[in-house]
Every structure is written in C-alpha cells, then in structure tokens.
Amino acid sequence: MAEIFQRAEEEAASAYEVAEQKQDYILMVRARILQCMIENAKVEEEIGGGADPGSHARRAFEFSQEAIELAKHTQHHLLPRERYLWQG
C-alpha cells in the first residue's frame, strides 16, 4: 500500500510543478487538494508517521491552506467549496 501512496505523491507533486510553471492556478489548487487527499488517506490507513503520527494530518492541513490561498487567484466557482471541504 505504501508504494501506491508514494506513486500518488510523486504524480501530484509533478502535476503541481507543471501547473506552477504555467501559472495555472486552477490546476495548482487541484494538485494541492489531491496532495491533501493523499495525506488524509495516509492518516486513515495509518501509513507511516513513525514517531509523529500527526505529521500526515498536519501536511494535509498545510496543503489545504495553500489551496485556499491559490484559489484566491481564480474566478472558478467550485474551487471555494472544494478547498474548504478538504480543509475540514
């Protein structure tokens, strides 16, 4: 299962990098939301964390916060709902 999460993390990070190079804020938000989802799934599956099991929850929160900030640069009508949903 850890390999699946690793691959998902790599793909989401790659998507964010491409979106950032193109200054595509909608895709940047979606990539951050995906990264938040991955971290939340790790929490649910109790993957990793080692000595600090809350690390994935904190990373998920950080990704959601960044998605909120990035979404402010867009006019997309669904992004505000998505970003706050994943922040919760």
Side-chain angles (χ1 to χ4, degrees), residues 27-46:
L27 291 179
M28 290 167 70
V29 169
R30 292 193 185 280
R32 286 301 191 228
I33 290 171
L34 179 57
Q35 289 172 307
C36 175
M37 294 169 68
I38 293 165
E39 293 300 321
N40 279 327
K42 285 181 178 180
V43 171
E44 290 175 13
E45 296 293 324
E46 299 177 0

Side-chain angles (χ1 to χ4, degrees), residues 21-73:
Q21 289 172 359
K22 295 182 177 190
Q23 289 296 297
D24 186 330
Y25 286 100
I26 291 174
L27 291 179
M28 290 167 70
V29 169
R30 292 193 185 280
R32 286 301 191 228
I33 290 171
L34 179 57
Q35 289 172 307
C36 175
M37 294 169 68
I38 293 165
E39 293 300 321
N40 279 327
K42 285 181 178 180
V43 171
E44 290 175 13
E45 296 293 324
E46 299 177 0
I47 302 288
D52 186 10
S55 64
H56 295 302
R58 278 191 296 282
R59 286 194 63 191
F61 181 76
E62 290 168 6
F63 285 134
S64 71
Q65 288 294 105
E66 190 170 346
I68 289 168
E69 291 304 312
L70 290 167
K72 291 177 182 177
H73 296 280

